[in-house]
Structures are given as structure tokens and as C-alpha cells.
Amino acid sequence: MTSNMKDKVAVVTGGSSGIGKATAEAFLNEGAKVAICGRSRERLDEAATQLASISGPDNVFVHACDVLDENAVNAFADAVNKRFGRCDALVCNAGQARASNFYTTSDQDWRDEFDLKFFSVLRPVRAFIDMLSASGAGAIVCTSAMLARSPEPFLIATGATRAGQLNLLKSLSREFAPINVRVNAVLIGLVDSGQWSRRYESGEGPDGDKIPQGTSKEDWFVELAKSRHIPMGRLGTPAEAANAILFFASPMASYITGETIDVTGGQARNV
Ligand code: NDP
């Protein structure tokens, strides 16, 4: 089976690091052209160099843009249209989790989390939907979280807003089916990405636990996998998440919409 992504155009928000960058690599390896955005110009430039080494610089476009800034997202879409003239797949991936519980989440934190999880989907979708529809086989994939179905008290706002986001994606899948745009989500458990490296460097785990001094990142990840009861005994890699995203984004999933795939190493316990 081939992905049939050759010469298609895929847009990945948050494509300069972690799962987003691995997704951009997966598309390029399948012969697609890729446009990525992120806020940090420096991170984008670094990613551009690495991505260009896969199939040449002509197939890669990077644009600095905060997905929460409507004008910037519209300018990104215009720039993609100008550069590649189409968009066949949109991966709404930009974002991060908020480590907080009931007592440590202020009203503003709740609003910020709602903004991030909803508008990081709504704004790019608004900006790219005409191009996706014109593709004739458009696909939207959201990088979401296992938390949407299995909440954790130490990620209270992220879990609640991820659950709402899944509901939104289901509505979009029904509304966009007649215009040939599919909408799906990949639910990540724990993937070794920029987020987790930053947590390790901060010396504090997501539930406020201190990482013992002298613990290597690899050893901390092994401990994390144990403490989170991940049956496969390890964190996932960004490439493993990217494979599921590529599947949903490509014509391999041409009759699948409004669905999810868990990429959790067996951690998700919902049936
Ligand atoms: P990384 O931190 O490695 O990558 C996040 C990417 O998003 C970066 O390119 C970052 O670039 C970009 N980004 C963040 N905020 C914005 C913004 N407002 N506008 C534009 N770009 C933005 O994290 P991951 O790869 O882990 O995360 C990817 C997605 O997967 C996120 O939505 C995350 O919540 C989700 N996820 C990850 C899990 C994991 O275990 N890794 C678990 C569950 C969900 P820059 O900072 O320069 O803007």
C-alpha cells in the first residue's frame, strides 16, 4: 500500500519540533511538499535545513506564525497558496500541555488553555478550508491527547479542553464530508518530544514531582513509562506518532472521518 502523497501539499502547524517535525519528514519521505509554521524563527530555520536534506529545498516552505494570531494564520495560508498553489492536508499540531490541577489553574489559565486547544484548530481550518476542499481529497488531522478520554488531575485544563476539541472535530467531520474534507485525530500518550525534553531540563515532572539530581533523560523516561503504567515500557518516538498522522492525512484513509487512533504504547485503557 502506498500513501499516494506524491506531489501533494501538506501543512503542519508546529512543524519545527517534535511530532510536527517528524510528520513533515514523513510527508517529504512520501514525495509530498511541506509547509510548516511555528513562532520561533530560529527553530524554523534549523528545521528547514534538516527537512531540505530529505528531498531538496524546493519541497519545503517555512513561515513564522503564531496559530492564535488570526492575521498571521491567514498570511501563512496566502503564502502557502502562492508558493505551492494548493493544500491537500492540514495537520493541526501546534501546542503544548499545561501542567496544573484544580487549585493551581486560574480563570486566565482556563481561558488560555481553551484558546490554545480550540483556536489552534479553528484559525488554521478557516484559513485553509477552501484549498482543502479544492483538493478533492482534503484531510485535516489534529494531534490530540489520550487525556481527551482519560483525564489526569495534574493536567486538568488540558484534559478538559482536549475533550471539547474532540467534540469539535467530530462536528467538523460531519460538516466537511460533503466538500470532501476528512477530519480525524491522533491521540498521543507520551511521546519523547521537545515538551518532554523541556520538562526534564526544568527538573520537575508534570505532576510537580522533582527529578532526582543526576538522573539522565533516558533513565527519567524509563521511570516515566513505569510510573505511567505504559504496557510497552517506553515513551513513543515522534516518528511513531507521525506514522499515524500520515495515515489519516493520506488517501490510505479515504473512507475514514470523525475517528481517532491511540498512539500510547497500550497506555490508553478505554475500550
Ligand atoms: P514540541 O514542543 O516538540 O513541538 C511543539 C511545536 O508547536 C513547536 O514547533 C512549537 O514551535 C509549535 N508551537 C507551539 N505553540 C505554537 C503556537 N501558538 N503557534 C505556532 N506554533 C506553536 O511538542 P510535541 O511535539 O510534543 O507537541 C505536538 C503536539 O502534540 C502538541 O499539540 C501537544 O500538546 C500534543 N501532544 C504531545 C504529547 C507528547 O507526549 N509529546 C502528548 C499529547 C499531546 P514554537 O514554540 O517555536 O512556536
Side-chain angles (χ1 to χ4, degrees):
M1 199 197 283
T2 64
S3 73
N4 282 325
M5 286 303 289
K6 189 160 169 32
D7 298 327
K8 298 270 171 63
V9 174
V11 170
V12 183
T13 69
S16 59
S17 168
I19 296 168
K21 180 144 74 77
T23 301
E25 287 166 1
F27 282 124
L28 289 167
N29 282 324
E30 292 296 308
K33 300 174 197 306
V34 156
I36 63 168
C37 77
R39 293 163 301 179
S40 153
R41 184 78 239 178
E42 201 185 332
R43 251 201 293 257
L44 280 171
D45 288 343
E46 250 174 57
T49 308
Q50 291 169 18
L51 295 174
S53 71
I54 297 176
S55 61
D58 288 354
N59 293 329
V60 178
F61 177 65
V62 305
H63 187 95
C65 152
D66 184 333
V67 287
L68 301 183
D69 176 340
E70 188 167 19
N71 291 334
V73 175
N74 290 339
F76 177 42
D78 288 346
V80 170
N81 201 4
K82 208 165 153 197
R83 171 72 183 264
F84 293 136
R86 60 187 292 148
C87 171
D88 303 284
L90 168 67
V91 182
C92 296
N93 166 81
Q96 60 184 37
R98 175 182 296 274
S100 67
N101 63 26
F102 174 78
Y103 294 102
T104 58
T105 313
S106 68
D107 282 3
Q108 193 55 48
D109 293 338
W110 278 103
R111 288 191 195 99
D112 289 347
E113 198 58 9
F114 179 91
D115 265 12
L116 180 62
K117 298 302 185 294
F118 281 76
F119 287 103
S120 64
V121 173
L122 291 168
R123 296 223 159 99
V125 168
R126 266 197 210 120
F128 285 95
I129 192 64
D130 288 349
M131 277 190 272
L132 289 165
S133 173
S135 153
I140 296 166
V141 186
C142 179
T143 313
S144 183
M146 185 189 87
L147 283 174
R149 296 216 171 103
S150 310
E152 296 278 7
F154 57 88
L155 291 161
I156 192 170
T158 296
T161 50
R162 284 292 191 194
Q165 190 189 56
L166 268 195
N167 190 293
L168 164 70
L169 294 170
K170 192 72 168 181
S171 294
L172 293 181
S173 72
R174 296 177 64 90
E175 190 164 353
F176 294 158
I179 59 168
N180 294 316
V181 177
R182 297 177 298 101
V183 184
N184 293 293
V186 173
L187 307 188
I188 310 291
L190 274 177
V191 161
D192 169 3
S193 68
Q195 285 199 76
W196 286 98
S197 297
R198 286 195 295 279
R199 285 216 179 104
Y200 169 74
E201 279 149 23
S202 77
E204 202 171 281
D207 37 9
D209 51 320
K210 295 269 174 260
I211 301 169
Q213 278 215 331
T215 310
S216 70
K217 191 163 96 173
E218 291 66 32
D219 287 347
W220 185 56
F221 281 174
V222 171
E223 280 312 309
L224 257 182
K226 263 193 215 149
S227 65
R228 297 287 181 273
H229 307 292
I230 300 176
M232 289 183 72
R234 64 174 177 88
L235 271 63
T237 64
E240 288 171 323
N243 285 339
I245 295 171
L246 172 69
F247 169 71
F248 268 152
S250 76
M252 285 190 290
S254 54
Y255 196 52
I256 304 178
T257 195
E259 295 298 337
T260 57
I261 296 177
D262 288 345
V263 180
T264 70
Q267 189 189 7
R269 300 186 67 169
N270 44 292
V271 177

